[in-house]
């Protein structure tokens, strides 16, 4: 997309761009001809992402670095602006996780998940705001999760980090409003997604990990992120499961505790036993020599549409349909009343 009022393409920074949702998001922006700075640790994944963006019509540079390090974000911001110009959109995606009962997670593992998944968003947001606030424009996308509202067993570290991102984003949004700043924050809340997370995440469970169904394809998520970055949407719930989880937890949190305590262990594990030698990306990337791409191992079980996203993108149609239904209902009531008279 061409930046409004200029003849240049958008400049976008995406963390966690080498695989999964970040990779699919890079493809979505590349398809629109954007200039994309791709940030991650895995060199093979980054090169694959750059090839995707350029093949689809955009331009890309790569910044290899750990997003738990604030200097990685500063370097990405500096190189993006030196190469392409002012950053229009910054998208925080990078995370890592541990699938494990709480008491089996070491302090070092817990700190690592928190540093990448939460502090990485904080550092990325700071790097973006240092450049966007003086210009009084820009968009920061905090890719969230239904688990930012409803924690589930066996993912305590990840859920804690996502809850922290939610609170941090709300607090920062209020600061921007106080300062009359026009930089916008948006937070798409994700369902379970078919990504390599469940292949390369550290797993201490007896069986292979899987997302809690229903599972959605990363391209659907990426298109929703692109839409959220270009529309004034505070939050965007992606998938019916996300809406159900967040609303259910709001009104019936105790029921959620009971239900997840009964079902969420089995629903997060496949039938196959865990491979104890499976590489994981907690402390070091696994996509240094092999490009894992955007998809995980669940293509045959994944959904590529979301009625909630469609409704958000087509408010006019939805509002018109609701008004029409309302009009028909009122008309029917009036007609029934006249017949009674």
């Amino acid at each position: 997309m061409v930046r409004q009022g200029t003849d240049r393409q958008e400049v976008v920074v995406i963390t966690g761009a080498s695989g999964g949702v970040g990779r699919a998001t890079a493809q979505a922006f590349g398809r629109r001809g954007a200039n994309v700075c791709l940030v991650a640790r895995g060199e093979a994944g980054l090169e694959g992402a750059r090839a995707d963006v350029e093949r689809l019509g955009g331009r890309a540079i790569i910044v290899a670095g750990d997003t738990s390090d604030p200097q990685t974000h500063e370097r990405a911001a500096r190189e993006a602006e030196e190469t392409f110009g002012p950053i229009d959109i910054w998208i925080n995606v990078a995370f890592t996780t541990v699938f494990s009962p709480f008491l089996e997670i070491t302090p070092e593992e817990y700190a690592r998940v928190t540093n990448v998944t939460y502090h990485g968003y904080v550092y990325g947001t700071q790097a973006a705001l240092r450049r966007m606030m003086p210009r009084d424009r820009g968009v920061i996308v905090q890719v969230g999760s239904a688990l930012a509202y409803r924690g589930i067993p066996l993912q305590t570290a990840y859920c804690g980090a996502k809850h922290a991102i939610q609170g941090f984003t709300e607090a920062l949004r209020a600061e921007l409003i106080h300062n009359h700043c026009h930089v916008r924050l948006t937070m798409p809340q994700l369902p379970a997604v078919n990504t390599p997370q469940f292949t390369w995440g550290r797993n201490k469970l007896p069986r292979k990990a899987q997302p809690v169904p229903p599972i959605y394809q990363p391209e659907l998520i990426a298109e929703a992120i692109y839409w959220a970055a270009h529309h004034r949407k505070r939050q965007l719930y992606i998938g019916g499961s996300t809406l159900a989880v967040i609303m259910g937890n709001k009104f019936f949190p105790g029921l959620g505790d009971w239900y997840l305590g009964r079902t969420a262990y089995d629903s997060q594990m496949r039938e196959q036993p865990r491979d104890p030698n499976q590489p994981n990306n907690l402390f070091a990337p696994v996509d240094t020599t092999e490009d894992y791409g955007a998809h995980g191992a669940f293509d045959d079980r994944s959904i590529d549409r979301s009625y909630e996203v469609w409704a958000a993108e087509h408010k006019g149609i939805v509002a018109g349909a609701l008004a029409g239904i309302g009009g028909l209902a009122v008309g029917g009531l009036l007609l029934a009343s006249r017949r009674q008279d």
Side-chain angles (χ1 to χ4, degrees):
M1 175 179 284
V2 177
R3 174 71 189 174
Q4 188 173 5
T6 73
D7 59 356
R8 71 176 182 87
Q9 297 298 108
E10 283 183 328
V11 178
V12 185
V13 177
I14 304 173
T15 72
S18 64
V21 168
R23 179 69 169 270
T25 302
Q27 295 165 357
F29 277 89
R31 195 171 292 114
R32 276 82 172 190
N35 299 312
V36 188
C37 176
L38 306 160
V39 187
R41 295 175 297 167
E43 294 177 6
L46 281 173
E47 290 294 349
R50 173 159 58 184
D52 286 348
V53 171
E54 294 176 348
R55 171 178 52 83
L56 292 166
R59 294 195 298 162
I61 61 170
I62 61 176
V63 173
D66 194 319
T67 56
S68 69
D69 181 356
Q71 292 307 312
T72 295
H73 301 277
E74 281 297 317
R75 183 158 51 92
R78 183 177 64 253
E79 293 188 18
E81 297 212 332
E82 287 175 354
T83 305
F84 299 130
I87 297 167
D88 298 300
I89 301 170
W90 185 289
I91 305 174
N92 287 310
V93 184
F95 74 93
T96 189
T97 192
V98 177
F99 300 99
S100 172
F102 171 65
L103 288 179
E104 296 179 23
I105 304 176
T106 68
E108 294 77 16
E109 290 170 335
Y110 226 100
R112 177 63 180 164
V113 172
T114 304
N115 285 335
V116 174
T117 308
Y118 172 46
H119 294 148
Y121 275 49
V122 173
Y123 303 146
T125 302
Q126 286 184 326
L129 281 178
R130 288 189 186 106
R131 290 151 179 89
M132 292 177 175
M133 285 189 72
R135 299 191 286 261
D136 199 29
R137 63 175 176 82
V139 178
I140 300 173
V141 182
Q142 313 283 43
V143 175
S145 169
L147 304 189
Y149 288 88
R150 171 69 256 182
I152 63 174
L154 305 179
Q155 293 200 55
T156 55
Y158 177 81
C159 292
K162 285 298 183 181
H163 274 69
I165 294 165
Q166 177 71 18
F168 155 68
T169 301
E170 290 175 348
L172 177 58
R173 185 181 287 114
E175 287 191 17
L176 295 177
I177 292 170
H178 172 81
N179 291 317
H180 305 285
C181 178
H182 293 94
V183 176
R184 185 167 61 84
L185 302 178
T186 184
M187 195 166 183
Q189 306 291 11
L190 272 55
V193 187
N194 175 31
T195 73
Q197 168 190 358
F198 303 91
T199 300
W200 65 29
R202 179 164 290 192
N203 182 11
K204 295 185 171 184
L205 305 177
R207 307 199 303 269
K208 290 183 177 180
Q210 70 171 11
V212 178
I215 307 167
Y216 292 80
Q217 292 288 29
E219 288 79 13
L220 167 68
I221 308 302
E223 289 298 315
I225 290 170
Y226 182 90
W227 185 87
H230 293 90
H231 293 80
R232 298 197 66 82
K233 190 74 175 175
R234 183 179 184 274
Q235 293 196 100
L236 178 63
Y237 299 156
I238 305 175
S241 57
T242 299
L243 182 62
V245 165
I246 293 174
M247 290 297 103
N249 191 64
K250 182 176 182 178
F251 295 105
F252 307 104
L255 179 61
D257 296 339
W258 177 85
Y259 178 78
L260 291 168
R262 295 288 299 272
T263 66
Y265 275 63
D266 282 342
S267 64
Q268 292 186 80
M269 289 185 280
R270 288 182 270 177
E271 294 300 322
Q272 301 92 331
R274 171 179 62 91
D275 178 0
N277 299 314
Q278 174 67 44
N280 69 82
N281 73 345
L282 186 60
F283 291 101
V286 300
D287 55 345
T288 53
T289 58
E290 179 183 356
D291 179 12
Y292 282 70
H295 285 229
F298 309 98
D299 279 332
D300 59 336
R301 301 164 52 191
S302 297
I303 303 167
D304 60 3
R305 63 189 180 278
S306 166
Y307 298 114
E308 293 71 29
V309 172
W310 185 91
E313 294 175 351
H314 299 84
K315 279 186 176 179
I317 296 174
V318 173
L322 290 174
I325 293 169
L328 288 173
V330 170
L333 289 172
L334 291 173
L335 181 59
S337 176
R338 288 175 181 175
R339 285 179 175 175
Q340 288 178 356
D341 294 341

